[in-house]
Amino acid sequence: MTTEDYIKQKGPLLSSQLITYYEDENTSKDAIRKRLERLPESIGRIRGFFKDNQTFFIIKSSNLQKSILVY
């Protein structure tokens, strides 16, 4: 299942939730974070909303204002 499919199925997710989804014995958290940085443009990111610097991942919609999304 792709990350985009996973977000569509589960709804908007925090970066920690996606890290847990990708986590296994052979993959470091740094490698997973890098993978999240390389997600396609169809997945929007909202940063700076949470105190612990987590990112909120959403599927972009045409009705969202681009000013709140980080590319």
Side-chain angles (χ1 to χ4, degrees):
M1 178 182 304
T2 67
T3 304
E4 189 170 3
D5 292 337
Y6 186 71
I7 293 172
K8 282 179 183 176
Q9 181 183 28
K10 297 291 184 179
L13 298 168
L14 292 172
S15 54
S16 61
Q17 293 170 303
L18 282 174
I19 288 171
T20 301
Y21 169 69
Y22 276 120
E23 222 168 22
D24 64 20
E25 296 174 7
N26 301 324
T27 309
S28 71
K29 287 190 178 189
D30 289 333
I32 294 169
R33 285 187 187 96
K34 197 63 161 176
R35 186 182 295 176
L36 295 179
E37 287 178 17
R38 296 179 181 139
L39 290 175
E41 290 185 14
S42 62
I43 298 175
R45 296 151 181 87
I46 299 174
R47 295 185 180 135
F49 189 73
F50 302 98
K51 287 184 180 181
D52 55 0
N53 288 333
Q54 289 201 54
T55 302
F56 195 61
F57 291 91
I58 58 169
I59 299 296
K60 286 185 183 177
S61 174
S62 60
N63 61 355
L64 288 176
Q65 295 180 359
K66 289 185 178 184
S67 62
I68 65 167
L69 298 178
V70 177
Y71 296 95

